[in-house]
Amino acid sequence: MLRWILFIGFYLLLGFYTLQALKTASRHPWVHWTFIALSLLIIGNFIFQFTVGEEPGRVLSRPKSYAFGFLIAMLAFQIITVLFLFSEDIFRVLSAGYKRFAGSEKEFSFGERRRFLSLIGLGIAALPFGALLYGMFRGKYNFKVLKYTMEYEDLPDAFDGYQITQISDVHSGSFDNRKKIEYAIDLINQQESDVLLFTGDMVNNKSEEMHPWKELFSTLKAKDGKYSVLGNHDYGDYIAWDTPEAKSANLEDLKSLQKEMGFDLILNESRYLQKGGDRIALIGVENWGKGGFKKAGDLQKAKSLVAKEDFKILMSHDPSHWEEEVVPDDYHYHLTLSGHTHGMQFGIEIPGWIKWSPVKWRYKQWAGIYEEMGQFINVNRGFGFLGYPGRFGIWPEITVITLKKKSLT
């Protein structure tokens, strides 16, 4: 209860401070009252959804996700505005103190806020506010196909030009637009890749979230099959279950669902992709992540039937596994495919210029291709979304990787 009181007090204080900027920038009362009403509506809906309106058994239902999304947008607007006002207020206090002690003023006089600074602050604050709203209503389904060519000297000849499509982090429990998902499924199939690899998090918490989408995802196709691994959300660890048996049954149902949809789920195991007399090893580990995430992955068990000299592709949901266990391993893993980070679903990316998201402070490898000791990892930005019900700048991704034989000359 205390944390609710503190949080609401902090929110209202930010709102009061932001209102001062609005009063400086505009003399129209309707502007002020609109901001007050919107602020109260957002915090009221958030409190309702996370208390009285909470759906039992689900961490983030759609109404809760949107309540959270609107709150984040409003907080971003308020905090940036307050930063501008606070910096100006510090200057006003220092200026008033200097004038008073210098004798030019008989009393402390802070002066009025400058309108143009309030306008600048509000204008800048409106950018992330608008971006977050755009991400909620348009950006989360702005699917992008990102294509990479990876060259290897030891790639088996028959696999020269072999094409892989990777998707990750479906989070089917968050979907709210079937036509957009149908479009994305068609986009995946249009790539006509040799193999489709899914790197975990089919659901948010429960296998039942995938039931409405089972038939649609069953239409995904690739010449050499569809393979998958589990992500941290697939185990159902983030909700309270009535019994341990119910949680176990949920996981088994999810495994069965993947099989019914045509996915070969690889659980600390390996498979071989064969073309003529050549083959490459496909290794899949269960989720392994540092920082409190589940560590069910067993790389040693997964690679046990794979020869050291084989060309190897590893599927591991959490990219922290790559640096912690994969790169230092005595086997050489040519390509690791991961997801998990979502690129935090918010950031700035201009190819060749900038790639930034706050998630970079948590994960060293968070989006795209990275290389270490001659081994590569691709971190997929994710197909779906979770928590904040949107994306801006870090768009939902379908990765297409073409393997090429590197010339020795």
Side-chain angles (χ1 to χ4, degrees), residues 314-367:
L314 174 67
M315 300 167 65
S316 180
H317 177 70
D318 191 318
S320 65
H321 185 222
W322 185 67
E323 194 169 50
E324 293 290 319
E325 289 200 341
V326 177
V327 173
D329 193 75
D330 60 338
Y331 272 29
H332 181 91
Y333 298 89
H334 298 76
L335 176 61
T336 298
L337 301 176
S338 298
H340 181 62
T341 72
H342 300 205
M344 207 171 173
Q345 298 168 209
F346 184 88
I348 303 170
E349 284 197 84
I350 303 174
W353 289 86
I354 186 172
K355 185 176 77 172
W356 178 88
S357 168
V359 79
K360 68 175 294 182
W361 299 320
R362 173 66 175 82
Y363 290 96
K364 186 177 178 181
Q365 295 83 28
W366 60 273

Side-chain angles (χ1 to χ4, degrees), residues 147-163:
K147 296 187 177 185
Y148 303 98
T149 298
M150 309 289 292
E151 294 186 333
Y152 299 91
E153 292 180 357
D154 56 347
L155 179 71
D157 292 340
F159 286 88
D160 186 23
Y162 196 77
Q163 186 169 292

Side-chain angles (χ1 to χ4, degrees), residues 259-371:
K259 184 177 181 180
E260 290 171 23
M261 291 187 292
F263 284 94
D264 183 354
L265 181 60
I266 310 178
L267 304 172
N268 295 327
E269 301 168 297
S270 61
R271 306 283 190 269
Y272 276 104
L273 301 173
Q274 197 87 27
K275 288 183 78 66
D278 289 336
R279 66 181 189 175
I280 60 177
L282 181 61
I283 304 167
V285 295
E286 294 195 50
N287 191 80
W288 193 104
K290 69 177 184 179
F293 287 103
K294 194 177 192 74
K295 289 180 170 63
D298 188 336
L299 184 59
Q300 302 309 310
K301 179 182 177 182
K303 74 175 189 181
S304 61
L305 299 179
V306 174
K308 195 170 186 177
E309 64 273 13
D310 283 330
F311 187 95
K312 292 173 284 293
I313 297 175
L314 174 67
M315 300 167 65
S316 180
H317 177 70
D318 191 318
S320 65
H321 185 222
W322 185 67
E323 194 169 50
E324 293 290 319
E325 289 200 341
V326 177
V327 173
D329 193 75
D330 60 338
Y331 272 29
H332 181 91
Y333 298 89
H334 298 76
L335 176 61
T336 298
L337 301 176
S338 298
H340 181 62
T341 72
H342 300 205
M344 207 171 173
Q345 298 168 209
F346 184 88
I348 303 170
E349 284 197 84
I350 303 174
W353 289 86
I354 186 172
K355 185 176 77 172
W356 178 88
S357 168
V359 79
K360 68 175 294 182
W361 299 320
R362 173 66 175 82
Y363 290 96
K364 186 177 178 181
Q365 295 83 28
W366 60 273
I369 302 284
Y370 301 85
E371 183 269 336

Side-chain angles (χ1 to χ4, degrees), residues 4 11 47 65 67 88 126 191-192 197 212 221 349 366 401-402:
W4 274 110
Y11 178 88
I47 294 169
S65 291
E88 183 188 13
Q191 307 312 310
E192 298 183 338
L197 305 180
K221 55 183 181 289
E349 284 197 84
W366 60 273
I401 297 174
T402 302

Side-chain angles (χ1 to χ4, degrees), residues 243-254:
T243 64
E245 290 76 18
K247 181 181 178 182
S248 178
N250 176 74
L251 181 56
E252 292 306 312
D253 183 41
L254 182 62

Side-chain angles (χ1 to χ4, degrees), residues 12 84 138 166 187 206 239 266 280 287 325 370 386 400:
L12 293 177
F84 268 84
R138 296 291 297 274
Q166 179 199 1
L187 196 57
K206 291 185 174 182
I239 57 174
I266 310 178
I280 60 177
N287 191 80
E325 289 200 341
Y370 301 85
L386 182 70
V400 177

Side-chain angles (χ1 to χ4, degrees), residues 37-180:
L38 188 60
S39 297
L40 293 177
L41 179 64
I42 287 173
I43 190 64
N45 182 49
F46 180 80
I47 294 169
F48 173 79
Q49 295 298 341
F50 280 80
T51 54
V52 180
E54 183 172 6
E55 294 184 33
R58 297 186 70 180
V59 175
L60 277 176
S61 62
R62 287 173 194 160
K64 287 168 69 176
S65 291
Y66 276 96
F68 175 71
F70 284 122
L71 181 71
I72 291 296
M74 179 56 76
L75 280 172
F77 179 78
Q78 291 180 347
I79 289 171
I80 293 174
T81 303
V82 166
L83 287 175
F84 268 84
L85 261 66
F86 189 65
S87 61
E88 183 188 13
D89 285 348
I90 291 175
F91 175 80
R92 290 166 65 207
V93 169
L94 293 175
S95 178
Y98 174 78
K99 290 178 180 179
R100 173 68 180 85
F101 290 107
S104 58
E105 297 283 352
K106 294 182 179 180
E107 297 180 355
F108 277 106
S109 177
F110 297 132
E112 294 185 357
R113 284 193 175 91
R114 286 171 285 186
R115 184 170 181 267
F116 82 94
L117 282 180
S118 292
L119 286 170
I120 291 173
L122 290 167
I124 293 176
L127 295 177
F129 179 76
L132 287 164
L133 292 182
Y134 175 87
M136 290 168 63
F137 293 99
R138 296 291 297 274
K140 63 187 176 184
Y141 294 127
N142 185 22
F143 294 98
K144 301 295 183 183
V145 177
L146 300 185
K147 296 187 177 185
Y148 303 98
T149 298
M150 309 289 292
E151 294 186 333
Y152 299 91
E153 292 180 357
D154 56 347
L155 179 71
D157 292 340
F159 286 88
D160 186 23
Y162 196 77
Q163 186 169 292
I164 300 164
T165 289
Q166 179 199 1
I167 58 172
S168 192
D169 299 87
V170 165
H171 289 290
S172 55
S174 300
F175 293 159
D176 55 13
N177 189 319
R178 190 172 187 85
K179 286 188 176 180
K180 295 293 186 182

